[in-house]
């Protein structure tokens, strides 16, 4: 049963994954650190033109009609195929909670949102009910030979449903999926260029967990790796560094937009240091740092010369308060300042 | 909003993942091929006793009350953490379609089913609606300030909902989740031992895509791998072979049950050869071979001295016929023969 509104880019379809890197030497530029060379040597996803058209239409609509500010929210992990016919891949831990939740608060604060997300990761609004044991059958009940929402849940569902519909009806939320790191990078570049006309009214909220490493095509077997083909039962995987795209994003792809990157660490001692060095390296506006273990309780905003912590009390967490409800208004203050400063 | 019936083993919770392998030298037995040594050197998931209790209760209920045959269906990929605080992991490609669909046909053919699945992979019944762009919000509509199922979908949903409820009410479907390969192996062993009392009326339908390789704890960094920590931007991952558990499953864990393993390949020339060698190696009853590219159109049953192909025509596929609707009755014939032969 195909649901309505469902996009069919098949980003996680193995044939598509193969199509992406079958013919061209996709990863030939493995050793290079030059982002341009990456794109020169890597094949774009076959569906990219469709996405570009959708995004350009969405951006033009809001520029001409609503005048809303626009947030590009990236969310979820990226995959790195280990084989050309993708059976195995390396993934990053991310359900997409940060991105999906943040997107809702951007929308509630009057922004239009392009949600560039890992396919099947959490989505705004449906996140409240998805990733449950049985998706939604557990929320249903039968009465008089008709299926309906269990009254226990209908009130809260209606609330979420209305917000979701409001976002749909006002054409304020555009969902764009990806699966592999190559799909992510190409789509990010395409969206960024489509956003240039939005200048400083656009904010890039880069919450996706992007792989730092990938497998060069030249080293990738066509078929599933056979255990027997390995020496003394061992398998050695050599990964090359994914070129850093943030500098190119800041310098070329975007035009005056405010750019926010995320640092997810597990070692408290590294967090601030790495957030600051990212800021120095890429000259963008804001790094949001968080630890895997405490990311739902506290985050730190690191901007030039400033460190702001946002923390929830145990009581607030117990009451179901989401830290994004404080993060996004704080982000928007930074965006206000950025727009002022760039006048 | 926590859904009802939801199990909370948190198998994909990073803290739990850490808990599993924090203290003991979980992967110390990396080099060994002895399955027993694996368990001697690896820590079980903390929630395993809960699962054992649930499974033993389920098995006893059907042995004493319904007398149904019982199928253990494993489904979905397993993960291999690359770090102790799991940010990155190696995954196998599997949405769990084969397992979730097969489980439904086992249930429709009168079997009780233990569904050992990768958390958040597709589930029986909900699979018809989940993994859609917006889970179920797209199937809803509002009328008179009440949320209800869009009439366009309610008829088909009711059909699925009734089957789902029938499985619930008759206590015929037990959902057991896992995430990592270690969780999978421990849970499989526990379930197998609980199934011994079922003898030849149990069938093991091992459709999960289990990792062949894993990272020994001794080589696993405590924290997120830092790009800077790698030589010339490269990251080298050395994986050890996961011991083959099928022989131990056949010889020790199970007692007279019929055991079916799967071979997923991408190279047509290897499929039959590898299916046969698995059969010779493990002395079990049936290997179901399929190619990643055509797995929804054709499969091959390889049993001692026999090869049976099951194929769907393009027309059947166009009409929405699922190959599992032919696979499971064929499996059940094999199970009949097995029960006869072992009398």
């Amino acid at each position: 049963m195909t649901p309505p509104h469902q996009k069919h880019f098949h980003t996680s379809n193995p044939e598509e994954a193969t199509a992406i890197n079958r013919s061209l030497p996709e990863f030939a530029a493995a050793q290079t650190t030059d982002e341009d060379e990456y794109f020169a040597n890597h094949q774009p996803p076959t569906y990219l033109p469709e996405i570009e058209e959708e995004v350009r239409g969405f951006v033009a609509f809001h520029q001409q009609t609503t005048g809303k500010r626009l947030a590009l929210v990236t969310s979820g992990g990226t995959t790195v195929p280990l084989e050309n016919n993708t059976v195995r891949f390396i993934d990053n831990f991310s359900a997409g909670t940060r991105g999906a939740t943040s997107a809702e608060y951007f929308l509630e604060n009057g922004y239009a949102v392009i949600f560039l997300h890992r396919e099947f990761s959490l989505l705004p609004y449906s996140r409240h009910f998805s990733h449950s044991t049985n998706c939604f059958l557990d929320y249903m009940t039968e009465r008089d030979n008709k299926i309906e929402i269990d009254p226990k849940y209908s009130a809260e569902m209606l609330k979420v449903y209305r917000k979701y519909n409001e976002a749909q009806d006002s054409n304020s939320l555009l969902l764009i999926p990806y699966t592999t790191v190559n799909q992510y990078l190409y789509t990010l570049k395409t969206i960024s260029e489509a956003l240039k006309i939005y200048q400083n009214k656009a904010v890039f909220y880069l919450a996706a967990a992007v792989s730092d490493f990938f497998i060069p095509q030249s080293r990738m077997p066509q078929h599933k790796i056979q255990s027997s083909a390995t020496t003394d039962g061992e398998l050695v995987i050599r990964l090359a560094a994914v070129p850093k795209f943030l500098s190119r994003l800041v310098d070329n792809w975007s035009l005056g937009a405010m750019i926010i990157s995320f640092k997810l660490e597990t070692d408290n001692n590294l967090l601030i240091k790495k957030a600051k060095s990212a800021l120095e390296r890429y000259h963008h506006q804001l790094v949001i740092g968080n630890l895997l273990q405490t990311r739902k309780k506290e985050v730190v905003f690191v901007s030039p010369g400033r460190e702001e912590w946002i923390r929830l009390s145990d009581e607030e967490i117990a009451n179901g308060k989401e830290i994004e409800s404080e993060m996004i208004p704080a982000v928007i203050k930074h965006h206000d300042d950025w727009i002022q400063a760039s006048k």
Side-chain angles (χ1 to χ4, degrees), chain A:
Chain A
M1 175 180 204
T2 308
H5 311 146
Q6 183 163 9
K7 294 210 180 52
H8 280 302
F9 296 125
H10 302 300
T11 65
S12 54
N13 172 319
E15 284 76 8
E16 166 64 19
T18 313
I20 288 170
N21 52 27
R22 189 191 289 111
S23 55
L24 288 190
E26 169 163 50
F27 292 104
Q31 261 60 10
T32 185
T33 57
D34 182 352
E35 303 79 356
D36 298 332
E37 200 171 322
Y38 178 96
F39 289 109
N41 290 282
H42 294 58
Q43 191 176 21
T46 51
Y47 54 76
L48 196 59
E50 288 171 70
I51 287 184
E52 178 166 13
E53 195 185 337
E54 262 198 285
V55 172
R56 291 198 180 275
F58 184 81
V59 173
F61 169 78
H62 285 288
Q63 192 184 42
Q64 293 156 23
T65 314
T66 70
K68 284 182 175 181
R69 291 183 186 178
L70 204 150
L72 169 66
V73 176
T74 70
S75 184
T78 63
T79 67
V80 172
L82 299 188
E83 297 132 333
N84 234 342
N85 287 291
T86 304
V87 173
R88 298 193 190 86
F89 52 85
I90 295 180
D91 204 341
N92 299 46
F93 169 79
S94 175
T97 313
R98 175 82 75 212
T101 311
S102 300
E104 286 183 21
Y105 288 105
F106 272 117
L107 288 161
E108 287 184 23
N109 284 276
Y111 279 62
V113 172
I114 299 173
F115 191 66
L116 178 60
H117 66 283
R118 165 76 174 271
E119 192 169 32
F120 303 137
S121 66
L122 291 175
L123 292 173
Y125 305 116
S126 69
R127 73 177 171 100
H128 297 274
F129 310 102
S130 59
H131 279 202
S132 76
T133 299
N134 263 286
C135 194
F136 68 98
L137 287 170
D138 287 336
Y139 300 109
M140 301 290 130
T141 182
E142 178 175 349
R143 198 171 62 180
D144 313 331
N145 291 319
K146 285 188 65 210
I147 186 165
E148 58 179 43
I149 314 276
D150 187 326
K152 282 202 297 294
Y153 308 111
S154 51
E156 185 174 346
M157 260 191 206
L158 181 58
K159 242 186 291 166
V160 173
Y161 177 76
R162 282 176 170 167
K163 288 183 186 174
Y164 170 66
N165 257 22
E166 159 58 23
Q168 296 274 345
D169 298 346
S170 61
N171 188 29
S172 301
L173 174 60
L174 180 62
L175 301 176
I176 303 289
Y178 68 82
T179 297
T180 67
V181 66
N182 186 62
Q183 291 169 336
Y184 172 82
L185 293 172
Y186 261 105
T187 312
L188 178 63
K189 182 173 189 284
T190 297
I191 294 173
S192 306
E193 284 161 350
L195 273 172
K196 278 187 176 176
I197 61 169
Y198 234 81
Q199 300 183 15
N200 63 19
K201 282 179 73 182
V203 54
F204 287 63
Y205 186 86
L206 305 171
V210 182
S211 321
D212 301 323
F213 301 98
F214 73 117
I215 311 259
Q217 174 69 0
S218 53
R219 306 175 190 168
M220 202 185 300
Q222 182 65 26
H223 290 295
K224 186 179 173 188
I225 300 162
Q226 300 299 332
S227 334
S228 53
T230 61
T231 33
D232 53 49
E234 280 216 346
L235 177 65
V236 177
I237 301 171
R238 276 175 57 225
L239 299 149
V242 171
K244 300 291 182 193
F245 288 84
L246 202 46
S247 55
R248 184 63 81 254
L249 178 65
V250 174
D251 302 341
N252 303 55
W253 300 355
S254 72
L255 196 72
M258 175 177 175
I259 293 172
I260 305 167
S261 69
F262 280 73
K263 269 272 168 244
L264 176 70
E265 295 295 332
T266 61
D267 181 354
N268 201 0
N269 305 321
L270 280 175
L271 182 59
I272 298 280
K273 185 175 152 296
K274 290 184 65 75
K276 283 184 173 167
S277 64
L279 212 55
E280 284 152 18
R281 177 168 184 179
Y282 303 115
H283 315 294
H284 59 307
Q285 287 72 53
L286 178 62
V287 177
I288 299 179
N290 54 162
L291 292 172
L292 185 66
Q293 307 87 323
T294 59
R295 65 198 184 285
K296 290 176 182 181
K297 298 191 204 105
E298 58 177 18
V299 302
V300 58
F301 281 31
V302 179
S303 53
R306 259 172 90 193
E307 274 176 46
E308 316 152 65
W309 283 91
I310 293 179
R311 292 191 174 92
L312 293 187
S313 68
D314 296 349
E315 195 195 350
E316 288 173 315
I317 289 165
N319 295 335
K321 181 169 186 178
E322 298 174 311
I323 194 165
E324 291 80 4
S325 67
E326 295 201 352
M327 287 170 66
I328 301 310
V331 163
I332 292 172
K333 278 205 189 65
H334 278 268
H335 196 197
D336 294 336
D337 300 343
W338 172 250
I339 290 172
Q340 280 304 320
S342 53
K343 264 184 181 154

